[in-house]
Amino acid sequence: MSKRRLDAVDKRIVEWLSRDARTSNRHIAAELGVTEGTVRARIKRMEEEKLIRITAVTNIDRFRDAALAYIWIEVERSSQAREVAEQLAAMKELGFVALMMGRFDILAITMVRNYEDLAEFVHARITGLEGVRRTESTLGVNFVKHDYRMARIVG
């Protein structure tokens, strides 16, 4: 199956779904001036081609007793970065793991209750991984903007 780029109608469907994934195909079709079948078929195609995934997300603003922790990881040799990242990705506590460009090689993100829990997790689970040279952690304490729909592409 060959993947194709999203056209203008696909992008507008995704915009509607990103606001509320429960929006009916009929409502989206009426707003876009296309048939309900068109909307249904395009959503199905985009899901099959893994261009979109419809899912529920937690609202981190509701977790008053938890903070988002950013764990920046430097590896000893750049050739170890992917292997370390894959080990991190297997940890259920981490919701995000990415290879990075810049000062650190990897960014991992998780939720913690406090600095003590963060320190315990980093020291017990991350710094002992082979190839990890050092870590630096920060806590997000007050989010000015948090848009879980980060898939928008600039440009």
Side-chain angles (χ1 to χ4, degrees), residues 134-147:
R134 73 181 196 94
T135 65
E136 188 173 303
S137 301
T138 56
L139 288 179
V141 293
N142 189 358
F143 295 99
V144 176
K145 179 179 181 178
H146 173 250
D147 189 345

Side-chain angles (χ1 to χ4, degrees), residues 76-94:
E76 292 175 6
R77 294 185 318 275
S78 57
S79 62
Q80 296 172 299
R82 178 156 304 277
E83 182 180 333
V84 171
E86 288 173 0
Q87 290 177 55
L88 293 166
M91 296 179 185
K92 65 178 175 47
E93 297 90 347
L94 296 174

Side-chain angles (χ1 to χ4, degrees), residues 67-115:
L68 208 53
Y70 300 84
I71 306 165
W72 301 92
I73 301 152
E74 181 182 338
V75 296
E76 292 175 6
R77 294 185 318 275
S78 57
S79 62
Q80 296 172 299
R82 178 156 304 277
E83 182 180 333
V84 171
E86 288 173 0
Q87 290 177 55
L88 293 166
M91 296 179 185
K92 65 178 175 47
E93 297 90 347
L94 296 174
F96 178 91
V97 176
L99 295 169
M100 306 298 289
M101 289 177 53
R103 182 175 178 182
F104 289 92
D105 302 298
I106 301 168
L107 170 61
I109 303 175
T110 189
M111 296 286 285
V112 296
R113 298 205 185 288
N114 52 48
Y115 282 112

